[in-house]
C-alpha cells in the first residue's frame, strides 16, 4: 500500500520536474519535495508508523526515490541554467559590488633582472643596442678574433641553420653586437646589448641550451682598465647590495687583452665561505667568491676588423649571464625552473 503510494509519488514528481520551465518554480519544487520540510522528509518521519518488519524495505525505497528525484532536480537545474538567459536568475543586480579583478601577470624573473641590469647601465650613460639571434660565423667568431681553427671555437661552433651551408648559426654569445655596433657608430660609444644566446649544452641544474646575456662595450680615447673596474664595481654594488666586494681575476678571451673574470663576494655567506652555523656555504662552496661575468680591454685586432684606429681609441667590454645573476640574486638553485612555466615558481617574483 505505502509502497505503491511511494512509487506513484516518484512517477509524478519525475514528470513534474521535467516540465518545469523556470528556475523559480524549480526552487519551489525543491522546497516541496526535497527540503527539510519537504514531502520525502515527512515519509521518513512517518516510518515509525510502519510495521517494524517492513521498515527496512520501505526505508530503502524512500532513500532510492529521494536520490532519483534529487538527480532529476539537479539535471533540470543544469538544463535551465544552460538555456535560460542569465537575467532570469539574476533579477537583482547589486551595483555596489566590487568588479571582478582580471588576473594580472608580471614580467618573468629573468626579464625583471634584465631590466634592472639595463637600468643600472642606463644611469651610467650606456645606450641599449640589439643584434640578431641568427648570426653569421663572421660576427659570432671571426670579427671577435676567433679564427676558424681556434680551439675555443669548438665548444660553440654549432646550431648552424639547415641548408645554409654553415653560413648562419644561432649566436653563442651577445659579443657579435659589439662588432655590429662599432660598424654602425663612430666612437665614443657606450652600449649594452641584452639578448638570447644558444649553446650545445644539455639541460642540467646549472646549464641550459638557451639563456640570456647582457654585453657591454665602451670605446673612447683614454678608456682604461680602471674605468672597467669602476663601472663593474658600481654595477655589482647596485645589483647585489652596497656591501658587495668585487674581484678581478686574470683570464682569457680572444676578443679582449688583458681579460678578467669578475667575481663578487658570496651573496649568501658574505665572502666568509661558512655560514653562521659553521657549515660550508653551499652556494660558493666555501670559496667566498662567485664568478659573475667575463670582461677585458677590447683587443686591437677587433678594432682592426671594424676599422677603428687602435692607436687612438681604447675600450672595455664585458658579458654576463642573466639567469646566473637572477639565480644568485634570488637564491634559485636550478636554471631549468625558468622555462618550466610553473606558476607557483613564477608568482614569487
Ligand atoms: N662572450 C663571453 C661568453 O659568452 C663573455 C664575455 C667575456 C664578453 C669577455 C665580453 C668580454 O665582452 O669582454 O662567455
Amino acid at each position: 500500500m505505502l509502497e505503491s503510494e511511494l512509487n506513484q509519488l516518484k512517477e509524478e514528481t519525475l514528470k513534474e520536474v521535467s516540465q518545469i520551465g523556470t528556475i523559480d518554480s524549480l526552487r519551489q519544487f525543491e522546497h516541496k519535495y526535497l527540503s527539510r520540510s519537504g514531502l520525502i522528509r515527512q515519509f521518513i518521519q512517518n516510518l515509525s508508523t510502519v510495521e517494524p518488519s517492513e521498515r527496512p524495505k520501505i526505508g530503502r525505497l524512500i532513500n532510492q526515490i529521494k536520490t532519483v528525484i534529487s538527480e532529476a532536480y539537479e539535471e533540470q537545474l543544469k538544463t535551465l541554467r544552460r538555456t535560460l538567459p542569465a537575467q532570469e536568475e539574476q533579477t537583482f543586480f547589486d551595483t555596489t559590488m566590487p568588479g571582478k579583478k582580471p588576473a594580472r601577470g608580471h614580467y618573468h624573473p629573468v626579464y625583471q633582472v634584465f631590466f634592472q641590469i639595463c637600468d643600472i647601465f642606463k644611469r651610467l650613460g650606456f645606450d641599449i643596442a640589439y643584434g640578431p639571434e641568427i648570426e653569421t660565423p663572421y660576427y659570432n667568431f671571426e670579427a671577435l678574433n676567433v679564427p676558424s681553427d681556434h680551439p675555443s671555437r669548438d665548444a660553440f661552433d654549432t646550431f648552424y641553420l639547415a641548408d645554409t651551408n654553415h653560413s648562419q648559426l644561432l649566436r653563442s654569445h651577445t659579443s657579435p653586437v659589439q662588432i655590429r655596433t662599432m660598424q654602425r657608430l663612430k666612437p665614443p660609444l657606450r652600449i649594452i646589448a641584452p639578448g638570447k644566446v644558444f649553446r650545445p649544452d644539455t639541460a642540467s641544474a646549472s646549464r641550459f641550451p638557451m639563456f640570456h646575456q647582457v654585453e657591454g662595450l665602451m670605446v673612447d680615447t683614454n678608456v682604461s682598465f680602471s674605468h672597467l673596474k669602476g663601472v663593474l664595481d658600481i654595477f655589482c654594488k647596485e645589483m647585489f647590495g652596497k656591501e658587495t666586494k668585487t674581484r678581478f681575476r686574470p683570464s682569457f678571451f680572444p676578443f679582449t687583452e688583458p681579460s678578467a673574470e669578475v667575481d663578487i663576494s658570496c651573496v649568501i655567506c658574505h665572502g666568509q665561505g661558512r655560514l653562521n652555523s659553521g657549515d660550508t656555504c653551499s652556494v660558493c662552496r666555501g670559496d667566498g667568491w662567485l664568478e659573475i661575468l667575463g670582461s677585458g680591454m677590447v683587443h686591437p685586432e677587433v678594432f682592426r676588423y671594424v676599422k677603428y684606429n687602435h692607436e687612438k681609441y681604447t675600450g672595455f667590454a664585458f658579458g654576463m649571464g642573466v639567469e646566473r645573476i637572477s639565480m644568485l640574486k634570488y637564491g634559485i638553485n636550478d636554471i631549468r625552473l625558468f622555462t618550466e612555466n610553473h606558476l607557483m615558481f613564477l608568482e614569487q617574483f
Side-chain angles (χ1 to χ4, degrees), residues 16 20-31 73 80:
E16 184 178 339
I20 292 177
T22 69
I23 286 183
D24 265 353
S25 12
L26 198 59
R27 295 227 186 281
Q28 281 161 22
F29 171 89
E30 198 250 340
H31 185 74
Y73 160 77
L80 289 183

Side-chain angles (χ1 to χ4, degrees), residues 172-175 178 199 213 215-216 253 255-256 294-296 317-319:
S172 62
H173 51 179
T174 43
S175 303
Q178 290 187 33
R199 291 189 186 176
Q213 283 189 333
E215 190 79 13
F253 297 101
F255 34 90
T256 44
S295 65
F318 56 87

Side-chain angles (χ1 to χ4, degrees), residues 22-24 27 79-93 100:
T22 69
I23 286 183
D24 265 353
R27 295 227 186 281
T79 313
L80 289 183
R81 283 217 168 112
R82 231 180 295 126
T83 49
L84 287 179
Q87 67 265 31
E88 175 120 13
E89 194 181 355
Q90 287 185 359
T91 43
F92 176 68
F93 177 67
K100 276 191 192 143

